[in-house]
Amino acid sequence: IDFDLILENIKDLNSLVGEGISQIEHTARGARLKWPEPVPLTLYRNGIVVGHGAFRPYQHPATQQCLQDIMDGYFPSELQPSYPDGV
């Protein structure tokens, strides 16, 4: 696993969604600035943890798909239902 490439691709994906840039959230009384909430990704020698989920070994098919999505320059498809506009 090329951790450097994974980290580089994550950095590129973060810049696509405007990391560190607030967004406008409409409320009943107007609008306010809202900071996007990050989804932590923890890389271990033998697996990963996405968000606050369970540890997943690299051999797990969902882990392989998640990392392949990142390696291909895409947001992990498993996050799409929760974050349809990116994360």
Side-chain angles (χ1 to χ4, degrees):
I1 295 175
D2 187 345
F3 290 107
D4 291 332
L5 181 59
I6 290 172
L7 294 175
E8 182 179 325
N9 285 357
I10 289 171
K11 186 177 179 180
D12 291 343
L13 289 168
N14 285 340
S15 68
L16 284 175
V17 294
E19 178 182 38
I21 298 173
S22 61
Q23 299 172 346
I24 297 174
E25 178 183 47
H26 297 282
T27 65
R29 298 181 63 183
R32 65 179 174 180
L33 292 177
K34 177 183 175 187
W35 294 99
E37 193 168 324
V39 175
L41 172 64
T42 307
L43 303 170
Y44 294 98
R45 180 178 29 181
N46 57 347
I48 67 171
V49 174
V50 178
H52 301 289
F55 175 82
R56 300 184 333 208
Y58 289 124
Q59 296 79 14
H60 192 276
T63 304
Q64 291 177 6
Q65 181 62 52
C66 177
L67 293 177
Q68 188 62 53
D69 288 345
I70 293 170
M71 297 286 278
D72 290 343
Y74 298 105
F75 290 100
S77 56
E78 69 187 65
L79 299 177
Q80 191 173 19
S82 300
Y83 302 93
D85 297 324
V87 72

